[in-house]
């Protein structure tokens, strides 16, 4: 239920987490599954069944979280599930550090891309993700995602019959309607302690590069966790002033399609418990 409104809607997003992560940021909020490889091995057929079970339970979409290193198996499972009646949009939820050949394999299988753009600053990407090439790789990946998806499309969560463009989405979502993205790209940036200057650079880059063709989602939910204790500067939450300054920067620079978080979101209660629920039938 904790994704952006056009992803979760009212019924929720059907999240499927994949063990392991090629980036492994020191502050990872999903540490148990990214570092500790929590999870259970399943067959491709079982994965397809999980997709169908999520659809039957009323999920608004299939949300693949850090699935890149299982791309061939995921594609096979999606093919099986579609033959079995899967008709939900497929979301690809990623840290942004993706190989272009992986994304090209996924073309036609993914409807909505949900990448992070974590850093522009090389020193920060090197220190926190051991990835000095992060921005170069992630920015190229996002460009490929936008190429694949084209203009954003939406539908009404209740009827799912209409195809709405961004103008219709803006107008109707203001009136309280629950509208779901069925095609497009939402780029997330999680504001980190000490990262305000880098965050502004990222927002400016995305606005210049894509204007109104994507959503930009600015997150204030960073939660300091024990495994980041080796980085003392990360052992605090974001202040309201820091986040407000980032949001103001985005507004001053003409953002039209964006999401912000309100209230207290930096809590461990927002971090999923990886207890194996839904893996075994």
């Amino acid at each position: 239920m904790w994704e952006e409104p056009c992803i979760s809607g009212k019924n929720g997003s059907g999240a499927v987490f994949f063990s392991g992560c090629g980036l492994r940021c020191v502050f990872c909020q999903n540490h148990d599954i990214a570092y500790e490889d929590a999870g259970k091995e399943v067959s491709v057929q079982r994965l397809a069944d999980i997709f169908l079970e999520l659809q039957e339970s009323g999920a608004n979409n299939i949300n693949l979280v850090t699935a890149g290193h299982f791309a061939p198996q995921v594609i096979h499972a999606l093919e099986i599930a579609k033959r079995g009646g899967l008709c939900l949009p497929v979301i690809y939820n990623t840290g942004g550090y993706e190989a272009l050949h992986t994304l090209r394999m996924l073309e036609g299988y993914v409807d909505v891309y949900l990448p992070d753009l974590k850093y522009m600053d090389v020193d920060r990407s090197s220190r926190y993700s051991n990835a000095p090439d992060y921005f170069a790789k992630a920015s190229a990946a996002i460009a490929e995602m936008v190429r694949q998806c084209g203009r954003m499309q939406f539908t009404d969560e209740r009827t799912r019959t209409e195809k709405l463009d961004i103008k219709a989405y803006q107008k109707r979502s203001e009136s309280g309607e629950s509208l779901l993205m069925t095609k497009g790209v939402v780029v997330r940036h999680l504001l980190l302690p000490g990262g305000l200057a880098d965050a502004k650079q990222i927002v400016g880059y995305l606005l210049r590069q894509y204007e109104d063709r994507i959503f930009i989602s600015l997150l204030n939910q960073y939660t300091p966790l024990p495994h980041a204790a080796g980085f003392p500067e990360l052992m605090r939450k974001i202040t309201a002033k820091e986040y407000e300054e980032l949001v103001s920067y985005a507004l001053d620079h003409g953002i039209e399609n964006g999401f912000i978080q309100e209230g207290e979101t930096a809590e461990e209660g927002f971090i999923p418990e990886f207890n194996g629920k839904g893996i075994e039938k």
Side-chain angles (χ1 to χ4, degrees), residues 14-218:
V16 182
F17 289 83
F18 291 82
S19 297
C21 174
L23 200 53
R24 300 199 173 205
C25 306
V26 298
F27 54 83
C28 182
Q29 310 289 276
N30 292 335
H31 182 269
D32 288 352
I33 198 163
Y35 273 82
E36 304 298 333
D37 294 335
K40 297 181 180 179
E41 184 175 339
V42 300
S43 66
V44 168
Q45 179 62 58
R46 177 62 195 140
L47 182 57
D49 291 342
I50 288 171
F51 296 157
L52 291 168
E53 288 163 14
L54 285 167
Q55 178 170 273
E56 290 165 7
S57 71
N60 282 322
N61 42 60
I62 302 299
N63 188 342
L64 308 171
V65 186
T66 60
H69 47 301
F70 295 108
Q73 293 87 354
V74 168
I75 288 169
H76 189 188
L78 286 170
E79 289 173 342
I80 294 171
K82 287 181 178 182
R83 289 197 295 270
L86 181 69
C87 57
L88 296 179
V90 175
I91 316 288
Y92 190 77
N93 191 332
T94 167
Y97 195 66
E98 294 282 344
L100 291 179
H101 71 267
T102 300
L103 297 176
R104 288 167 184 155
M105 287 172 58
L106 293 164
E107 186 167 7
Y109 294 95
V110 171
D111 302 290
V112 176
Y113 282 100
L114 191 58
D116 295 334
L117 188 54
K118 297 177 184 289
Y119 324 93
M120 283 188 76
D121 185 273
V122 172
D123 291 338
R124 292 176 69 81
S125 65
S126 299
R127 177 165 172 76
Y128 300 138
S129 298
N130 194 30
D133 62 342
Y134 176 85
F135 179 74
K137 199 163 187 175
S139 59
I142 290 169
E144 171 63 18
M145 295 171 188
V146 174
R147 182 197 70 77
Q148 288 186 22
C149 290
R151 293 281 175 178
M152 294 182 284
Q153 293 180 7
F154 306 85
T155 193
D156 187 296
E157 182 174 356
R158 295 167 305 166
T159 64
R160 300 179 187 267
T161 56
E162 301 173 273
K163 287 187 178 181
L164 307 173
D165 63 13
I166 185 59
K167 298 296 184 184
Y169 173 86
Q170 291 169 336
K171 183 177 180 180
R172 290 174 56 172
S173 62
E174 287 176 0
S175 66
E177 291 186 61
S178 182
L179 303 175
L180 301 173
M181 180 178 275
T182 56
K183 203 78 174 172
V185 178
V186 179
V187 180
R188 290 171 164 172
H189 178 71
L190 174 66
L191 181 59
L192 295 173
L196 182 58
D198 202 30
K200 290 179 178 178
Q201 291 287 328
I202 287 167
V203 169
Y205 165 79
L206 291 171
L207 290 173
R208 290 190 304 272
Q209 192 76 9
Y210 298 109
E211 298 179 330
D212 63 349
R213 289 184 289 158
I214 65 169
F215 269 107
I216 300 173
S217 183
L218 301 177

